[in-house]
Amino acid sequence: GTDIINNEKYMTSYEPVLNADGEIQYIMFAGISIQNRSNNMTSITIAVIVGMILSAVIFIVLMTLFVITNVAKPIEQMVRVTKNISAGQIGISDPSTVNITVKEQNEIGQMGNSLSATVASLQSYIKEIDRVLSALGGGDLTADTNIEFIGDFAQIRDNISTVAEKL
C-alpha cells in the first residue's frame, strides 16, 4: 500500500516475521519514496530514449557508408565507363577511361564484371579491325582476321574477309 512518512508519500509493504511457535516476533517493513521512484523512472526512460536515438544515428551513418562504398561508387564507375564508351573512348589509348574496380559479388558486381568483359571484347575487335585494315592499307592483300567475332560482330568479320578477298 502507501503511507505518509515524514510528510512524504511512500509505497510500502509489511510482512510479519514469526518465531518457531508461530507468534509474531516483529514486522518487516519495506518502502520506497514515490517521488524518488518517479524521478528514477524518468531518468531511466530518458537514458533509454537517448541510447536508442544514438544507436539509430550510428546505424544510419554505418548504412550510409555501406551504401556509398558498395553501391554508389561502383555505379558511378560504371556510369563513367559507359559515358566514355559512348564518346568513343574504349581504353585502347588510355586504359584508365574504362577501368572498373568492383569487389562485390552481388548484382552490382556482376554488372561491373559484365561491363568489363564487354569493354575487353570491344577492345579486341577494334584492335583486330585496325590490324587487318592497316595490313590491307600497307599492301598485304592476304590479311584476314585472326580472332573469332561473336554475335552481331560476326558480320563485321565476314565483311572484312569479303573486302580482303575482293582486293
Side-chain angles (χ1 to χ4, degrees):
T2 59
D3 285 315
I4 305 275
I5 302 173
N6 292 331
N7 293 324
E8 191 174 340
K9 195 171 188 177
Y10 277 76
M11 288 177 51
T12 60
S13 177
Y14 299 90
E15 189 67 34
V17 178
L18 307 175
N19 64 14
D21 297 330
E23 298 171 341
I24 296 176
Q25 288 282 261
Y26 55 90
I27 295 178
M28 185 181 299
F29 165 80
I32 183 169
S33 165
I34 291 176
Q35 182 62 40
N36 287 344
R37 183 175 181 273
S38 179
N39 290 344
N40 288 342
M41 290 303 291
T42 302
S43 297
I44 290 170
T45 302
I46 291 171
V48 168
I49 290 171
V50 168
M52 289 173 62
I53 290 171
L54 287 175
S55 296
V57 167
I58 290 170
F59 176 77
I60 290 169
V61 167
L62 292 176
M63 285 305 296
T64 301
L65 291 174
F66 174 81
V67 168
I68 288 171
T69 303
N70 296 310
V71 177
K73 284 186 180 181
I75 289 175
E76 286 174 6
Q77 285 182 20
M78 289 182 270
V79 167
R80 176 186 51 81
V81 168
T82 56
K83 283 181 178 180
N84 286 342
I85 291 171
S86 69
Q89 300 170 357
I90 63 168
I92 291 175
S93 60
D94 182 6
S96 69
T97 61
V98 293
N99 186 32
I100 298 174
T101 307
V102 181
K103 301 173 193 167
E104 295 77 22
Q105 298 301 317
N106 57 17
E107 291 81 1
I108 291 175
Q110 292 172 5
M111 192 166 47
N113 293 335
S114 178
L115 184 56
S116 291
T118 300
V119 167
S121 292
L122 286 172
Q123 289 173 338
S124 174
Y125 295 149
I126 298 294
K127 287 177 183 177
E128 183 65 5
I129 291 167
D130 182 58
R131 184 192 66 76
V132 171
L133 291 177
S134 292
L136 290 173
D140 180 4
L141 301 180
T142 63
D144 203 358
T145 59
N146 293 333
I147 66 169
E148 184 66 30
F149 285 62
I150 60 174
D152 291 339
F153 294 102
Q155 184 65 42
I156 295 171
R157 179 203 58 230
D158 294 344
N159 290 339
I160 290 173
S161 295
T162 300
V163 167
E165 288 173 12
K166 301 262 180 182
L167 292 176

